[in-house]
Amino acid sequence: MTRLERTLKVRYLGIGFLWAWVYGSFETFAVFPERAGIGINADSSWLASAVVVTLTLFVLGFVLGRRQTMAPPWLTVAAGVATAAGTLLSGLAAAEGILAPAVVSGALTGLGTGALYVLWGQALAALDIESSEVAIPAASLTMLGCALVLPYLPSTVGILATASLPLASGPMLLATYRDIPPVENASVATDGLRRPALFTLARIAALLFLSYFVIGCSGALQANADAPFIDWGIDIATVIGSICGIALVVGIVLFAARPSFDGLFRLIAPLVAIALALLPWADLWAVALSTSLVAIADTTLTIAAVLFVVTAAKSNGAKAALGIGVAEGSLQLGVLAGNLAGRALSEMTSIEPLGLFAIALGLLVVFSLSWLGYPTNRSSVLEISAAHNTAPRNEAVLPIGRIDKPDDPGEAGSITSSADTTIDGICQRLTEEHGLSGREAEILGYLARGRSQPYIREELVLSKNTVATHVKHIYQKLGVHSRQELLDLFE
């Protein structure tokens, strides 16, 4: 619990308030009481918001991805205020029956949420890897909380509650900036991602577009998607999706030796395929199962998209903005194209008795063939630093053979074979005296040279949980309680 408290701070969960805002605005009746379906909003501001957020993500991602510093604080404040203002404008106008200025309100929410997504990605990438791996999945717990609250609020209260979510996300982001080391704020701008990282990002973007095109299209076609909520009085799909999505991502991070977006996607793709197969069935239980499977896929992919892009950008915080912009932009583009295609295809279902079956079969075939035939890079970890054999900049990494602090003046870069021999000798002695296993002795050698657990995971191709367990056993056998106490044994 002490380690979790150091790693997970409440302010790091602010990106979850953005996910909750999407849920409150487009998947419940909180803002738009006349909403129909999963992805389609009865208010015309949805289209303007979807177009603007897609453009904002791509453009702002490229702009901030080339900057030498983090974005100015005023941009964070303006993004939160714009999203809240657009939500209030659309929601209150719809509730009062006033002609809503759809372009204005949609543009405000699109600009605001797009900017906040990119800024959060940049900030999370600047934190240490342990904090990011804990904070990003934990942030989705806000979705679970909102599923238990937002659908049951009166109209005006629901609008105000949803509008408050981006207003809370902004200050949390500003507070997170204070934990970013100065070196990250002054990261060097580059002309773009190197080829391995660019290929990884393109793969994530393509899979996200494909998934959300199918999800958006099926949501637009499934007119009775709200039936389980109306009949049972609880948004069971979102509750199940939030819990299962968090569990899947945490399991991958903890127990996979080389966690990758491709590997996670191969677990999620069958769920989407089954949901498509259930699309033509109007039975209540079929609809409930279909929407629950889509919710699991949606939650998992939403978390994984941010987590793996942030992990891939650890070696350069400025590149995270580009990664998040492209990945989330592709996701939103899939949502937009899928919903528009679903609207157009819905006319066919009303004319042809078997139209919905034909469309569902077509989507299922295209989706299955696409992800089954998509090339996977099984041997690479989605991390720019790993692709280039470099450690993340925010890790305190020492050259082999030194046990000094990394900022020790006057001796940076010195490597002495005698020091390395001394470390090996002490490791051998401690191994014999305290009965360390072969793997524990190997990890002890890395720890003695100042290597971090993420570095050890990558070098030895072990899961996060495995390395953490070995380190715990090493501490117990040596009778130490911290990294500094362990390093003291080598002085």
Side-chain angles (χ1 to χ4, degrees):
M1 291 300 297
T2 302
R3 182 177 179 182
L4 180 62
E5 183 181 355
R6 291 197 305 266
T7 305
L8 178 61
K9 297 179 173 61
V10 174
R11 54 184 172 273
Y12 297 167
L13 308 183
I15 192 171
F17 285 74
L18 284 180
W19 300 334
W21 177 86
V22 174
Y23 171 74
S25 296
F26 303 122
E27 296 185 34
T28 72
F29 304 100
V31 177
F32 301 103
E34 300 302 322
R35 182 187 64 82
I38 295 177
I40 291 297
N41 188 314
D43 187 84
S44 56
S45 66
W46 176 86
L47 181 60
S49 181
V51 171
V52 173
V53 72
T54 303
L55 294 175
T56 301
L57 286 165
F58 281 117
V59 173
L60 193 60
F62 278 100
V63 171
L64 293 184
R66 299 174 62 88
R67 286 176 58 91
Q68 293 184 346
T69 59
M70 300 290 286
W74 66 262
L75 183 58
T76 300
V77 176
V81 172
T83 306
T87 305
L88 290 173
L89 188 60
S90 293
L92 293 176
E96 299 297 329
I98 305 172
L99 180 62
V103 175
V104 175
S105 59
L108 286 174
T109 57
L111 285 169
T113 54
L116 284 175
Y117 266 119
V118 174
L119 296 175
W120 266 112
Q122 198 176 35
L124 290 170
L127 299 174
D128 63 273
I129 191 171
E130 297 291 334
S131 296
S132 297
E133 287 180 339
V134 173
I136 294 173
S140 62
L141 288 173
T142 57
M143 286 286 295
L144 182 59
C146 287
L148 301 175
V149 175
L150 286 181
Y152 316 102
L153 297 177
S155 178
T156 303
V157 178
I159 295 170
L160 294 175
T162 305
S164 69
L165 294 171
L167 289 179
S169 181
M172 295 172 79
L173 177 57
L174 293 176
T176 301
Y177 283 153
R178 294 200 295 266
D179 294 337
I180 297 175
V183 66
E184 296 293 345
N185 280 311
S187 57
V188 179
T190 61
D191 292 333
L193 295 173
R194 296 182 178 125
R195 184 172 298 178
L198 185 61
F199 179 65
T200 292
L201 179 59
R203 294 156 61 78
I204 293 177
L207 292 175
L208 286 173
F209 174 82
L210 171 66
S211 300
Y212 279 89
F213 175 84
V214 171
I215 290 173
C217 189
S218 62
L221 290 168
Q222 197 170 42
N224 59 342
D226 296 320
F229 173 75
I230 295 173
D231 286 9
W232 298 336
I234 184 173
D235 190 357
I236 190 171
T238 301
V239 172
I240 293 175
S242 299
I243 295 174
C244 294
I246 296 171
L248 277 173
V249 175
V250 170
I252 288 289
V253 171
L254 286 179
F255 301 107
R258 289 187 179 274
S260 69
F261 188 86
D262 289 335
L264 184 62
F265 182 79
R266 286 183 174 273
L267 297 176
I268 296 303
L271 303 183
V272 179
I274 295 173
L276 288 174
L278 293 171
L279 180 60
W281 305 98
D283 179 79
L284 178 63
W285 287 98
V287 173
L289 178 57
S290 175
T291 53
S292 297
L293 293 176
V294 168
I296 294 173
D298 183 18
T299 302
T300 305
L301 291 175
T302 298
I303 301 171
V306 177
L307 178 62
F308 283 103
V309 170
V310 164
T311 302
K314 284 296 179 181
S315 64
N316 191 325
K319 293 179 181 178
L322 176 60
I324 289 294
V326 172
E328 292 293 332
S330 300
L331 184 156
Q332 293 295 335
L333 184 60
V335 172
L336 175 61
N339 275 286
L340 293 179
R343 280 182 170 178
L345 292 173
S346 62
E347 298 179 1
M348 181 188 303
T349 63
S350 61
I351 298 175
E352 297 290 338
L354 298 179
L356 188 56
F357 282 90
I359 294 171
L361 179 60
L363 290 174
L364 179 59
V365 170
V366 171
F367 178 76
S368 300
L369 292 178
S370 298
W371 74 265
L372 285 175
Y374 200 81
T376 57
N377 187 7
R378 303 177 189 274
S379 61
S380 67
V381 177
L382 299 184
E383 188 171 343
I384 292 175
S385 58
H388 300 286
N389 295 320
T390 58
R393 296 178 56 185
N394 55 356
E395 292 185 6
V397 177
L398 305 181
I400 298 296
R402 290 193 59 202
I403 57 172
D404 312 58
K405 293 183 179 179
D407 56 354
D408 187 20
E411 297 185 8
S414 64
I415 302 178
T416 60
S417 58
S418 61
D420 189 64
T421 303
T422 301
I423 292 176
D424 290 339
I426 296 176
C427 284
Q428 184 175 356
R429 176 175 59 82
L430 292 174
T431 298
E432 295 173 353
E433 291 178 355
H434 298 276
L436 300 183
S437 67
R439 180 65 82 182
E440 290 169 353
E442 188 177 16
I443 292 176
L444 176 61
Y446 281 99
L447 296 174
R449 292 176 171 89
R451 302 302 189 186
S452 67
Q453 290 192 36
Y455 180 91
I456 298 172
R457 286 161 49 191
E458 169 59 22
E459 288 295 306
L460 300 182
V461 195
L462 297 174
S463 70
K464 178 178 181 178
N465 187 65
T466 300
V467 173
T469 301
H470 282 311
V471 172
K472 178 183 177 181
H473 291 165
I474 291 171
Y475 280 20
Q476 290 175 344
K477 291 181 179 181
L478 298 184
V480 299
H481 302 87
S482 66
R483 172 67 66 87
Q484 186 56 51
E485 289 185 15
L486 185 143
L487 291 177
D488 289 343
L489 299 177
F490 292 83
E491 291 183 351

